[in-house]
Amino acid sequence: MLAVVKDKQAPGVTLKDVSQPRPARDEVLVKVKAASICGTDIGIYDWTPWAEGHITPPTIIGHEVVGEIIEVNSDEKHEFKKGDIVSSETHIFCNHCYQCRINNRHVCENMELFGIGRDGGFAEYATIPLRTTWKNDPSIPLKAMSAQEPLGNAVHVVTKANVPGKTVCVFGLGPTGLCAVAAAKAYGAKKVIGINRGEYRRDLGLNMGADEVYEKLPASLVGKCDAVLEMSGNADVLAQALEAVRIAGTMVFFGIPKKEANIDVGRYMINKELHIESVFGRRLWETWYQVSDLLATKKIDLAQIVTHEFPLSEFEEAMAVMKSGKSGKILLTP
Ligand SMILES: [Zn+2]
Ligand SMILES: [Zn+2]
């Protein structure tokens, strides 16, 4: 089968013909219907320090996946059968560690990452552990199903920011930031402001319901935002984000900066007495239920965010568009 393989410790990937995987015990084999490119995949492609620390080539990449179950290999009691359309949760938890036991499985101490620490779904077939397989609500459009994982990140961020009635500022309007705009609106924010350097994604921000968008934080908004969602992962805008949040406001960090960030902790954090939160992944499975509900009730339409589709064989072209900043979510179809 065709697969996108990170096969060397250097920038780039290779499209390869590899053998079809077999499901191990308590795994499902899926025929991939669609997979979407994530910011993390850009990091893997470019071989950032984060990627270097998390991937041991060769690995089939791609973690935002929807597929049809071809085979279930398990004697355990489970809800899955052949033909089910399922998505994959990226954070493969161990179910035994302290975090798993206290219902924080998304930050498991022994976490394995689908499509990063083990083979993923930029391929014709993929295997997913049963415990991180999500059965989709069939009323949700197929195109939205693979993007539930990033929407889940955004929903988790927005729920931590407790947005109803608040002025919310979203820094970074990449696909997850765009999802955060939509989720903040859906959950009753009074006003949602988007900040993004590129115009293309500012326009997408307006499509997703942002009330105002700016290239950078205007002086009029300094200290005026009740909640600031840092989705850019740009170390150079963190200070701007911390300028935006009001005294005793809420700051949620999500984007992972490519380099160490210098922050004036006294000025921005202690003097302002902020509520500081961070998000790494989706709560299992609360966030997935919230996401499914937002999509099934059409409170969020991901069709606005999915701007491009490519066959898997044109992965390089898709990655080039993704890196240009002139796209929303990009779907790949094997
Ligand atoms: Zn992702
Ligand atoms: Zn664990």
Side-chain angles (χ1 to χ4, degrees), residues 67-108:
E68 178 184 344
I69 292 183
I70 301 295
E71 188 184 338
V72 184
N73 180 7
S74 180
D75 303 325
E76 303 286 314
K77 199 165 181 281
H78 61 78
E79 56 164 335
F80 301 101
K81 60 180 189 309
K82 253 169 94 166
D84 284 346
I85 303 296
V86 296
S87 293
S88 61
E89 161 57 47
T90 307
H91 292 195
I92 302 170
F93 51 89
C94 75
N95 238 352
H96 305 295
C97 74
Y98 178 71
Q99 294 302 333
C100 283
R101 283 166 172 265
I102 64 166
N103 199 24
N104 273 338
R105 283 167 293 172
H106 66 300
V107 285
C108 165

